[in-house]
Amino acid sequence: MQERGQRGYQVRFGWGAAGAARIAADAHLLVWVDVLPATATATAPRPGSDGTRAPLALLPDGPEVVLGHLGNVTAVAERVLRLQVDRGDRCVVAVVAAGHLDEPVGGGTADDAGEFPDVPAVPEFAVEDLLAAGAVVDALVTSGVDHTSPEAAAACAAWTGLRQAATHLVTASESAGALDVDRVHAALAVGPQLVTLRPSTEQA
């Protein structure tokens, strides 16, 4: 039986740290998509925000890790194009939706100590992260990076089909309902800058 992982595709899509481990081991760029900060896991804070964190200790070594959200998809696509120029070859991109976790990865005590379990928690579906991941894929396709896996194509279709209602869907979502309305609006107002959470760890 063939191993899962979307290895035949340039643009891939998965959920959470476990999905990242499956689809990003040979990627050049990992886009960690997290729209509403309080629904994310530990441990790297987003500059200018008050809570978005990515589980860098659980993400596969190798790819550069950047933060993706609804406001910076153009910057993500531009970064991919620059990487392709630098490499002189195509850039494999793993788009990973953070999803919702009721408890941080590892649980309260382990998380406070900066420790993580061997098997990360599986995140629940989060509409805001699906839409933003789809927006990232759509920006890549528009820029010409269009060899997408079926999973990435489905996320893209969710975005293109629902983009006109995206703000309403996010603010009315289950995740948003658990947050103060001001934090939700602040998260949606984050600017277009690309934030690098971790540089590439590939050997030169």
Side-chain angles (χ1 to χ4, degrees):
M1 184 170 63
Q2 187 175 1
E3 182 181 356
R4 295 175 64 197
Q6 306 172 36
R7 284 184 176 267
Y9 299 96
Q10 183 179 4
V11 181
R12 308 163 184 176
F13 172 68
W15 285 93
R22 192 176 68 254
I23 69 170
D26 63 339
H28 305 103
L29 185 71
L30 191 160
V31 185
W32 181 260
V33 179
D34 188 14
V35 175
L36 297 178
T39 66
T41 52
T43 57
R46 179 188 345 184
S49 175
D50 61 350
T52 295
R53 298 183 294 175
L56 296 181
L58 295 175
L59 300 182
D61 290 334
E64 175 181 332
V65 180
V66 299
L67 183 68
H69 51 80
L70 288 167
N72 73 346
V73 297
T74 298
V76 172
E78 290 172 348
R79 179 58 183 147
V80 172
L81 295 178
R82 289 197 303 273
L83 283 173
Q84 292 195 146
V85 170
D86 293 343
R87 286 176 43 77
D89 197 359
R90 72 176 193 165
C91 173
V92 176
V93 185
V95 181
V96 181
H100 174 74
L101 289 172
D102 288 328
E103 290 289 336
V105 174
T109 303
D111 184 59
D112 291 342
E115 300 172 355
F116 300 93
D118 292 334
V119 180
V122 177
E124 294 181 6
F125 175 86
V127 66
E128 66 277 7
D129 294 339
L130 174 66
L131 291 173
V136 169
V137 176
D138 183 52
L140 293 173
V141 170
T142 300
S143 71
V145 183
D146 58 1
H147 187 215
T148 60
S149 70
E151 291 79 6
C156 183
W159 164 251
T160 57
L162 295 169
R163 72 171 77 196
Q164 298 300 325
T167 299
H168 167 71
L169 292 172
V170 173
T171 57
S173 69
E174 184 178 9
S175 299
L179 296 174
D180 179 87
V181 65
D182 290 335
R183 294 189 66 188
V184 174
H185 288 299
L188 290 175
V190 174
Q193 297 80 11
L194 187 67
V195 174
T196 300
L197 299 177
R198 187 189 72 191
S200 172
T201 58
E202 285 186 327
Q203 296 297 320

